[in-house]
Amino acid sequence: MQLSPAEPLGELSAQLVEEERQDSVELAVIGLGYVGLPLAREAASVGLRVAGLDRDPRVVAGLNSGRSHVDDVSDEDVRRMREAGFTAYTDDACLTRAQTVVICVPTPLSTDGGPDLSAVTSAARAVARRLQPGQLVVLESTTYPGTTEEVVRPLLEESGLRAGDDFALAFSPERIDPGNTTHGLRETPKVVGGCTPSCTAEAVAFYGKLVDTVVEAKGTREAEMAKLLENTYRHVNIALVNELAIISRELNVDVWDAIRCADTKPFGFQAFRPSAGVGGHCIPIDPNYLSYKVRSSLGYDFRFVELAQDVNRRMPEYVVRRAQDLLNTAGRPLSGSRVLLLGVTYKPDVADQRESPALPVARLLRARNAEVSFHDPHVPLWTVDGTTVPRVGDLMTAVREHDLTILLQDHSAYDLPSLADEARLLFDTRGRIFRPGVEVL
């Protein structure tokens, strides 16, 4: 996140400083995306004065006009935030007025397989330019253990202030689950770890205003590791059932029924289900941060993560191979066949396409000369490698006209029994349609 440079605080007149302090806010959120905007909304809803900082002027202009760009935050939510005093900025001068600053910027993968911390370091430098004694600074961006202490803290202390003495510094992993209407920010326990016990106490007091349960970690590294553990656990178990799906087909076992039966055990088992791959920012990305840290710091591989990555990365290829077999059985080659992909987001009932397995599936189908179209009630336009994929209009007409329909995402808007009735061939990668004539992953 490259924030616009601002004049040093020392160049501001004492009068301006005093005016800014009188116009103080309880919270400034840096990064107004899937994590930062719900946080700002929750804070505004409990009566806190909130400012937002984002590098994208379109996002800032939209929010200040009452428009949301995030699935889980409605335009009405933004209008209520504005009525409560929320304002978005592109200028980091707003940080001077904040009692608490929370950094919620993206950490995508870098070329070496670790997290790209450029947005984090840019945000930390912006905070350092405006850092005031008594402020609380929290990093929520997912990263490897040690980032808060080894990267963010030194940048903040370039201000001349010291963490634990002059200001508080903590890490609190985001746990936003897009589309989840049961466990929102308030209902999901918040893990907090500070650089010192006093830092932790300040962060706990802040988050206690927003969430029902705050969990204290031993320190920042434990809080950072907790986030990676959560998603590595899911990543590894999804890889397990994905490989079981492949093996079970060869052994003539219905893996979906086996999972259903195992899930009746009231202890010692949690059901995970096969899919065309893993998507979203968390599961396919976060475990890489942990394997990167192990490799760079300890000099060896985190083999569980490496294996899970390999299995899940191969699932789109497996889906396309199964699709080809299904067409061949019906007497058609994949080359030249019309294939319709249903649901190109990474999870049901959201518009979020980050790391969606639909992308590699489409890419592989095209490489085999299939004619690919798509439908998704949440995605009006979809491109693959810079090329727009045709979007069908009338869904039922389309499934009748296409040689093969592949259900990649089971959005609730889809009438699955009707799809099964109308499609020439239907390949269900979500395990939702069990009836004769439907191929299930």
Side-chain angles (χ1 to χ4, degrees):
M1 180 178 185
Q2 299 299 324
L3 300 173
S4 57
E7 68 274 22
L9 184 61
E11 295 180 10
L12 293 174
S13 68
Q15 180 181 358
L16 283 175
V17 172
E18 181 59 30
E19 288 176 355
E20 286 191 337
R21 285 193 176 281
Q22 290 175 356
D23 190 29
S24 66
V25 296
E26 279 99 347
L27 172 65
V29 179
I30 304 179
L32 299 173
Y34 285 89
V35 175
L37 192 58
L39 175 65
R41 176 188 60 186
E42 192 66 36
S45 73
V46 299
L48 300 187
R49 296 186 303 280
V50 184
L53 177 62
D54 199 279
R55 68 176 179 180
D56 191 335
R58 293 170 300 179
V59 167
V60 169
L63 291 172
N64 288 337
S65 298
R67 299 190 308 273
S68 175
H69 58 288
V70 172
D71 285 338
D72 288 347
V73 180
S74 67
D75 290 349
E76 182 58 32
D77 288 335
V78 175
R79 286 191 286 270
R80 283 195 291 266
M81 291 167 64
R82 294 283 290 141
E83 290 170 0
F86 171 81
T87 304
Y89 301 89
T90 56
D91 186 347
D92 60 33
C94 65
L95 302 179
T96 305
R97 302 182 286 117
Q99 298 171 16
T100 297
V101 178
V102 180
I103 299 172
C104 303
V105 296
T107 49
L109 284 180
S110 62
T111 55
D112 61 359
D116 179 351
L117 296 180
S118 58
V120 171
T121 57
S122 179
R125 290 190 177 100
V127 176
R129 287 194 294 268
R130 303 291 183 175
L131 194 60
Q132 301 294 309
Q135 281 184 321
L136 166 64
V137 180
V138 183
L139 176 64
E140 286 204 6
S141 304
T142 305
T143 184
Y144 59 80
T147 301
T148 306
E149 289 276 5
E150 299 165 9
V151 177
V152 175
R153 181 174 184 169
L155 290 173
L156 295 180
E157 291 186 341
E158 289 179 3
S159 65
L161 302 177
R162 293 291 171 261
D165 295 327
D166 305 308
F167 68 95
L169 176 61
F171 181 83
S172 180
E174 60 89 4
R175 282 174 161 176
I176 297 296
D177 185 17
N180 191 327
T181 58
T182 302
H183 297 97
L185 192 149
R186 173 163 290 280
E187 294 81 19
T188 304
K190 202 80 171 76
V191 174
V192 172
C195 290
T196 66
S198 63
C199 291
T200 300
E202 290 201 35
V204 168
F206 166 71
Y207 282 110
K209 303 172 185 177
L210 310 182
V211 302
D212 295 335
T213 306
V214 181
V215 180
E216 292 187 32
K218 184 177 180 181
T220 58
R221 285 178 170 82
E222 288 73 20
E224 290 161 336
M225 180 65 88
K227 171 66 174 181
L228 300 187
L229 176 58
E230 293 168 12
N231 288 326
T232 300
Y233 167 81
R234 295 168 67 195
H235 189 50
V236 167
N237 280 282
I238 291 170
L240 170 64
V241 295
N242 277 338
E243 190 154 39
L244 276 176
I246 298 172
I247 293 169
S248 295
R249 179 172 171 79
E250 300 300 321
L251 295 176
N252 197 29
V253 173
D254 184 338
V255 69
W256 299 93
D257 193 56
I259 293 169
R260 179 186 64 82
C261 292
D263 197 30
T264 62
K265 186 179 181 180
F267 55 90
F269 181 81
Q270 180 179 353
F272 289 82
R273 292 171 176 82
S275 65
V278 292
H281 175 72
C282 292
I283 300 177
I285 302 296
D286 294 357
N288 290 278
Y289 304 160
L290 188 52
S291 58
Y292 166 82
K293 182 63 174 179
V294 171
R295 186 168 57 252
S296 61
S297 298
L298 305 179
Y300 53 81
D301 293 334
F302 189 178
R303 290 182 292 171
F304 254 72
V305 169
E306 305 291 343
L307 180 59
Q309 289 168 341
D310 183 57
V311 170
N312 288 330
R313 197 162 37 230
R314 287 189 288 112
M315 287 307 293
E317 174 69 39
Y318 177 69
V319 166
V320 171
R321 190 165 70 249
R322 287 279 299 276
Q324 182 171 344
D325 291 344
L326 184 58
L327 282 165
N328 289 344
T329 300
R332 290 194 58 88
L334 178 57
S335 177
S337 288
R338 301 184 64 190
V339 180
L340 176 62
L341 304 181
L342 300 186
V344 298
T345 61
Y346 89 89
K347 66 181 299 187
D349 300 330
V350 300
D352 194 342
Q353 301 170 45
R354 291 177 295 174
E355 306 299 324
S356 170
L359 182 64
V361 167
R363 186 180 291 131
L364 289 164
L365 287 169
R366 282 182 161 181
R368 289 159 174 79
N369 298 315
E371 297 180 16
V372 180
S373 302
F374 89 100
H375 179 276
D376 193 303
H378 304 279
V379 180
L381 179 69
W382 189 44
T383 60
V384 174
D385 299 332
T387 302
T388 300
V389 180
R391 186 183 191 276
V392 302
D394 187 300
L395 179 56
M396 288 307 166
T397 298
V399 298
R400 286 192 294 268
E401 293 176 346
H402 282 72
D403 300 302
L404 173 64
T405 299
I406 304 178
L407 180 68
L408 293 175
Q409 200 54 262
D410 51 330
H411 295 303
S412 60
Y414 287 145
D415 183 344
L416 300 181
S418 294
L419 288 173
D421 289 338
E422 299 296 330
R424 294 184 185 179
L425 291 173
L426 180 60
F427 183 16
D428 173 14
T429 71
R430 302 302 298 175
R432 293 294 308 279
I433 311 170
F434 295 96
R435 62 162 65 182
V438 176
E439 185 81 356
V440 181
L441 182 67

